[in-house]
Amino acid sequence: MKKWKNRWDSPRTETSAIPVSLKECKNVIYNIFAKPKYAKLNITKRAYIKLMCYINLIGDYEISGFGRIQDGTITDFKILKQEVKPAYVECDEDAVLEFIKSIPREELGEWELDWHSHVDMGTTPSGTDWDNYKNMSALRGYKQFPAMIVNKKQSFTLINYISESNHENIDLYITGEDITNSEIDEIYNFVKNDIKSNCTKTISIQSKPAYPIYNNYWNRSNTADEFDDCKCKSCGVPLLNSHELTTGLCEDCELAVAETIGGN
Amino acid sequence: MVDFREINESLENSEERDAEDLVKVELITLSGLQEYEVEEGMTIKEFKEKHNLNEVKIVNEDGDVMRNNDIIECDSQFFISTPKKNG
C-alpha cells in the first residue's frame, strides 16, 4: 500500500544560486506600482479612416504597424514591410530597423502605439501578441507603451502595456473635426499603394512534372529561398565564412546551441 | 601617520583613469536615443547582458549586425531591433 508522504518526508536540498537575473528582477520591481501612462486617448478622423483602410484593404489577412501619438491624440498610422497571413503577421528585424531609421530621431518617441488587426476575430491579445509586447518593451528600454488590436467590425482592445503582469485598458474617443470625401479618397489611395509596396503573402508554387518535390509546397519565392541559404537559420544574420555556411548557423547561435546541449 | 595627500592623489588619478576607460554608447531604439557609458573593451555580449538586451539585435551605423565577440573600443552609435510578430 502506498504511503502518502507528508511535507517533512521530502528530501531537503540546499542551494546557493540565485534563481533570477538581477536585471529582470529590477525591471519587474520598477513596474509593480507604475501608473498607466494614458487613461484615455483621442484619435483623429483621418487617422481612424487610415486604420480602417489598412485593415479592410488587406482582405482576409492580419496587418501590423505603429501609430503616432501627439499630446494624447493618435494622429497617424504606419505599416512596416511584413509577411501577412490570415491569423499571423510578421515584420522581421530588418523591417523594424528600417522603420526606426525612417523616422526623425526627435519623433521616434511619438511612434509608441503598437497596433495590428485580427481580421474578423475577437480583439483579445493572443499568446503571440503577449510575447510581442514583451519583446517590444525590451526594444523601448522597458518603458510602457499603448497597444491596440482592431478588427473589421471596428471592435478594438486598447491597453497600456506596462509589464507582463501589469496592463490597463485605455478609453478611446474620436475627435470631431470635419473630413471631406476627397481627403478620404486620398487616404484610401495612399493605403492601397502602401499595402502593395510593403505587404507580402505566401503563394503556392504550381507543381511541375520535372520537380515533383515542389508539389503543394508553400513558399514565398525561389529567389528568397536562395538568399535565405546565406543567413543564419536561427537568428537570420548573414553568414561570414565557410564553416558558418556549412553549419547554417552563425558562430553565436552555434555556441548557444552547444551550451544548451551541454546544459541538458 | 596617514598621508592624506598621497591618498587623495591616488584617488584622483584612479578617477581620471576610470574616466579615460569609459566610452559612450548611443542606442537608437523605438523610444528614441538612449545613452550608456561602458568600459572600453567590453564585448557586445557583456553589454547585452549588462543592459538586459539579450533578445534584441544590435546593428552598427553601416547596417552590420554586431556579433557577441565584437568589442566596443570607442564612442559608438548603434541601432537595436527585434522582429514584430502578431497573431
Side-chain angles (χ1 to χ4, degrees):
Chain A
M1 192 175 175
K2 190 177 177 183
K3 185 194 167 207
W4 287 103
K5 283 187 175 181
N6 68 36
R7 63 193 175 119
W8 306 113
D9 290 336
S10 57
R12 295 179 66 181
T13 55
E14 287 181 7
T15 175
S16 60
I18 300 169
V20 292
S21 130
L22 187 60
K23 270 281 171 189
E24 285 174 15
C25 187
K26 259 167 78 175
N27 288 324
V28 170
I29 291 165
Y30 286 154
N31 287 323
I32 287 176
F33 296 114
K35 288 180 182 169
K37 186 172 179 183
Y38 299 110
K40 70 161 206 168
L41 275 171
N42 298 317
I43 183 170
T44 63
K45 278 184 183 164
R46 284 184 68 88
Y48 189 75
I49 284 167
K50 193 174 182 184
L51 179 68
M52 286 301 133
C53 284
Y54 276 124
I55 66 173
N56 282 284
L57 287 174
I58 195 68
D60 294 331
Y61 297 90
E62 293 197 2
I63 188 166
S64 153
F66 294 111
R68 186 178 188 184
I69 299 176
Q70 295 172 283
D71 300 324
T73 301
I74 303 169
T75 55
D76 200 5
F77 292 95
K78 275 184 189 286
I79 58 168
L80 295 69
K81 285 205 181 303
Q82 56 196 284
E83 189 182 347
V84 299
K85 292 179 179 177
Y88 182 75
V89 57
E90 179 172 345
C91 314
D92 65 17
E93 287 148 321
D94 293 339
V96 175
L97 189 65
E98 199 178 303
F99 176 82
I100 292 173
K101 285 181 172 176
S102 73
I103 304 291
R105 303 273 160 82
E106 62 278 9
E107 278 181 24
L108 263 173
E110 294 176 348
W111 289 90
E112 57 181 335
L113 177 65
D114 185 298
W115 71 272
H116 74 283
S117 71
H118 268 187
V119 195
D120 295 313
M121 292 183 292
T123 55
T124 306
S126 66
T128 309
D129 296 333
W130 289 119
D131 289 343
N132 167 63
Y133 296 152
K134 192 178 164 187
N135 290 337
M136 287 296 132
S137 176
L139 206 54
R140 294 175 187 279
Y142 297 95
K143 289 178 186 170
Q144 59 171 295
F145 60 92
M148 186 185 205
I149 303 174
V150 278
N151 67 16
K152 286 183 178 177
K153 296 167 194 162
Q154 301 185 46
S155 300
F156 70 93
T157 295
L158 180 58
I159 58 167
N160 278 300
Y161 181 85
I162 301 167
S163 67
E164 274 180 280
S165 55
N166 192 358
H167 38 84
E168 298 284 336
N169 287 333
I170 304 174
D171 293 331
L172 186 67
Y173 300 89
I174 299 180
T175 56
E177 80 278 7
D178 290 333
I179 184 165
T180 62
N181 282 348
S182 64
E183 282 179 290
I184 295 171
D185 289 345
E186 190 187 318
I187 295 168
Y188 178 93
N189 289 325
F190 174 86
V191 170
K192 197 165 77 172
N193 292 328
D194 204 16
I195 287 174
K196 275 184 187 169
S197 310
N198 290 303
C199 299
T200 55
K201 57 184 179 184
T202 50
I203 55 164
S204 172
I205 305 289
Q206 294 298 313
S207 59
K208 293 176 186 172
Y211 302 102
I213 194 168
Y214 288 114
N215 279 355
N216 300 320
Y217 185 71
W218 290 75
N219 212 329
R220 274 192 233 171
S221 73
N222 290 335
T223 314
D225 269 0
E226 285 161 17
F227 190 64
D228 283 347
D229 284 346
C230 301
K231 290 184 172 178
C232 174
K233 287 179 209 164
S234 178
C235 71
V237 304
L239 300 175
L240 294 180
N241 53 44
S242 58
H243 175 75
E244 291 188 347
L245 287 167
T246 309
T247 59
L249 292 169
C250 71
E251 198 178 308
D252 296 340
C253 291
E254 192 182 2
L255 192 66
V257 170
E259 280 173 2
T260 309
I261 293 167
N264 292 337
Chain B
M1 191 174 169
V2 179
D3 183 353
F4 286 104
R5 198 184 58 187
E6 194 178 311
I7 292 171
N8 283 339
E9 274 177 11
S10 67
L11 279 173
E12 279 171 14
N13 287 339
S14 74
E15 277 174 15
E16 277 172 19
R17 194 170 62 246
D18 286 347
E20 280 171 11
D21 290 348
L22 291 176
V23 293
K24 196 164 75 174
V25 172
E26 290 183 341
L27 277 192
I28 298 159
T29 75
L30 256 181
S31 298
L33 192 73
Q34 292 182 17
E35 291 182 344
Y36 301 88
E37 277 199 334
V38 302
E39 289 159 26
E40 184 187 334
M42 180 181 263
T43 64
I44 289 292
K45 186 178 184 183
E46 288 166 341
F47 178 74
K48 280 183 168 183
E49 282 173 354
K50 188 172 181 187
H51 298 288
N52 202 16
L53 294 167
N54 292 317
E55 304 302 321
V56 306
K57 186 190 268 188
I58 297 185
V59 180
N60 69 14
E61 285 169 302
D62 298 330
D64 301 324
V65 179
M66 301 302 289
R67 298 293 189 87
N68 280 344
N69 290 335
D70 288 339
I71 293 170
I72 302 168
E73 290 171 332
C74 54
D75 291 351
S76 317
Q77 192 175 67
F78 300 116
F79 293 89
I80 60 171
S81 186
T82 189
K84 183 179 189 306
K85 300 175 181 179
N86 294 108

